[in-house]
């Protein structure tokens, strides 16, 4: 991968009712995630979104052939429902379903948080209060270089930290928690 590589996925050319081509789904922990492309009239880029409508401890969906060590991940997401959680997240440096970083925004808790997952266990790096409206589109962006991580929600920086838990190249993707029903659109990533 060169330093100028960047890609965007709008899911508009993927067949509704199936996982997008080139993506892999799974769960950290237990459960039955269900990631599918669906039409959504509210999508930022119409007509389709990637929807997680199953449940699991931490459902994820990644582009396994990506290999970013330093770069960015950005995604638009809409938390739709969930009694336990209404979360949308981005993952990077994903080695496997038990080792990766994740930044997420939660409409039930009105916060943004940053975690590292190691040996299948999610570990908190930082929580910050932030407005996250349910049934509204938001933009979550993470920039990462060496051990520096910056997390933005809707254009505002909420978290800037240094963390050394997961280094090197890894895949990028999206993430939810528990019973979150969340739509994702305009997934964008690039190397820096």
């Amino acid at each position: 991968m060169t330093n100028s590589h960047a890609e965007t996925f709008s899911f508009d050319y993927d067949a509704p009712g199936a996982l997008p081509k080139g993506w892999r789904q799974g769960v950290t922990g237990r459960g039955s995630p269900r990631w599918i492309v669906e039409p959504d009239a509210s999508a930022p880029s119409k007509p389709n979104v990637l929807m997680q409508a199953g449940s699991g401890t931490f459902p994820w969906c990644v582009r396994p052939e990506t290999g970013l060590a330093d770069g960015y991940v950005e995604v638009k997401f809409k938390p739709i429902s969930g009694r336990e959680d209404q979360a949308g997240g981005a993952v990077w440096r994903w080695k496997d379903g038990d080792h990766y970083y994740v930044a997420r925004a939660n409409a039930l808790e009105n916060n943004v948080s940053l975690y590292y997952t190691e040996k299948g266990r999610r570990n908190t790096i930082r929580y910050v209060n932030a407005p996250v409206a349910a049934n509204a589109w938001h933009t979550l962006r993470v920039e990462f270089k060496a051990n520096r991580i910056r997390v933005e929600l809707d254009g505002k920086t909420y978290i800037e930290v240094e963390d050394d838990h997961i280094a090197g190249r890894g895949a990028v993707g999206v993430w939810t928690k528990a019973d979150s029903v969340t739509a994702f659109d305009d997934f964008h990533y690039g190397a820096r």
Side-chain angles (χ1 to χ4, degrees), residues 4-150:
S4 63
H5 183 84
E7 236 178 309
T8 299
F9 295 88
S10 66
F11 311 108
D12 296 333
Y13 301 102
D14 292 292
L19 191 66
K21 184 178 178 183
W23 289 72
R24 180 177 158 207
Q25 70 174 337
V27 62
T28 302
R30 300 169 65 144
S32 301
R34 185 170 180 257
W35 294 90
I36 58 171
V37 173
E38 287 190 358
D40 184 334
S42 76
S45 61
K46 292 174 183 47
N48 295 338
V49 298
L50 176 59
M51 178 78 71
Q52 201 302 115
S55 66
T57 311
F58 304 116
W60 47 261
C61 192
V62 298
R63 295 280 304 167
E65 86 289 346
T66 57
L68 292 181
D70 298 327
Y72 65 92
V73 177
E74 182 176 298
V75 67
K76 294 177 181 161
F77 73 97
K78 180 172 73 168
I80 298 169
S81 67
R83 284 180 302 199
E84 187 179 336
D85 223 74
Q86 292 182 21
V91 301
W92 68 100
R93 293 187 185 157
W94 185 92
K95 314 295 186 186
D96 57 41
D98 291 330
H99 300 89
Y100 56 86
Y101 278 113
V102 60
R104 74 102 172 100
N106 188 329
L108 287 183
E109 298 174 3
N110 277 307
N111 63 22
V112 173
S113 51
L114 174 63
Y115 308 97
Y116 70 94
T117 301
E118 193 170 59
K119 297 181 182 174
R121 183 173 176 211
R122 185 184 71 164
N123 301 279
T124 302
I125 298 170
R126 184 159 299 157
Y127 275 96
V128 178
N129 291 334
V132 185
N135 288 304
W137 285 97
H138 302 278
T139 301
L140 183 65
R141 180 179 175 93
V142 181
E143 297 178 2
F144 47 97
K145 184 170 184 176
N147 70 344
R148 293 186 308 278
I149 301 168
R150 180 169 66 207

